[in-house]
Amino acid sequence: MPSADPADPAVYERGDALNEILPAQSTGDGGPAPTSSGDAAEDSRMYDLSEQEYWEWLAALIQEGSELDEHVDDLLEAIYDLEPAFYSRGGRRQLQERLRQLHEVRTSVRAFEQDVEQLSFVFAKTDTVETSGADNADHVLASIKRTYDRAYDLCLYKLDRISDGWITATNLLISLTILIVTILFWLEFR
């Protein structure tokens, strides 16, 4: 998994944890076959793993999820640190950039969620490992979703606050203009 750099959108891809556990398939020429995230999701070898390999898959998934959670938490901290004034175009752009990054990370969160669901399904179907073992991955997923939701809501809140500041300033300017026009009109016909 790449580092938890807030600018890196490809934090987790579907099947990352499973690809660490499954042995590489070989092609006809003896080299390993390239695997894609779709291949890992449909790989029937995941049902033939030993109990130890299932626990390694769970551990890898939890590790990958913890790193994804750190990445989302870094984005949340970056959003907390932004306190732009309503008239700051640079601050608004920074918030919009963080929102764009959150939209990109959403793909990773969804991929992790699908992998946790797949792990739970395989645990239940194989009966090799106790089904409740997947609960740990569910806890990591819940933490990721909570952090993502907080970051997303905070970013939208701050963008709305900037918009409200502009609306207030515009209303004040309109009110002052009307007041000046009214005073001038009154002085003209007095």
Side-chain angles (χ1 to χ4, degrees), residues 8-54:
D8 183 15
V11 176
Y12 184 84
E13 291 182 8
R14 182 85 206 272
D16 277 355
L18 183 59
N19 286 337
E20 290 180 22
I21 304 307
L22 291 176
Q25 292 181 342
S26 61
T27 58
D29 60 6
T35 58
S36 69
S37 59
D39 294 342
E42 302 300 324
D43 197 335
S44 63
R45 296 178 298 159
M46 72 179 120
Y47 297 105
D48 300 326
L49 298 174
S50 68
E51 183 176 352
Q52 179 63 29
E53 289 172 319
Y54 283 123

Side-chain angles (χ1 to χ4, degrees), residues 72-153:
V72 175
D73 194 48
D74 289 345
L75 283 172
L76 176 63
E77 288 300 319
I79 294 168
Y80 269 125
D81 291 342
L82 288 174
E83 287 293 333
F86 77 92
Y87 52 82
S88 170
R89 288 187 180 181
R92 182 176 177 87
R93 280 190 212 112
Q94 289 175 333
L95 280 170
Q96 288 172 332
E97 176 62 22
R98 294 296 183 257
L99 188 61
R100 184 193 61 74
Q101 291 171 351
L102 282 169
H103 283 234
E104 290 173 353
V105 167
R106 181 179 52 197
T107 310
S108 296
V109 172
R110 182 64 184 138
F112 184 77
E113 181 179 26
Q114 289 171 337
D115 282 356
V116 169
E117 289 170 357
Q118 180 182 35
L119 174 85
S120 298
F121 177 74
V122 170
F123 273 26
K125 187 172 182 179
T126 60
D127 284 335
T128 305
V129 179
E130 186 178 310
T131 306
S132 63
D135 289 347
N136 294 324
D138 286 330
H139 293 304
V140 173
L141 176 62
S143 175
I144 291 169
K145 285 182 168 183
R146 266 193 315 274
T147 306
Y148 180 85
D149 289 344
R150 284 177 46 212
Y152 194 79
D153 290 345

Side-chain angles (χ1 to χ4, degrees), residues 149-166:
D149 289 344
R150 284 177 46 212
Y152 194 79
D153 290 345
L154 181 63
C155 193
L156 289 179
Y157 169 75
K158 287 186 174 193
L159 284 169
D160 283 345
R161 200 172 68 190
I162 288 173
S163 295
D164 289 347
W166 276 108

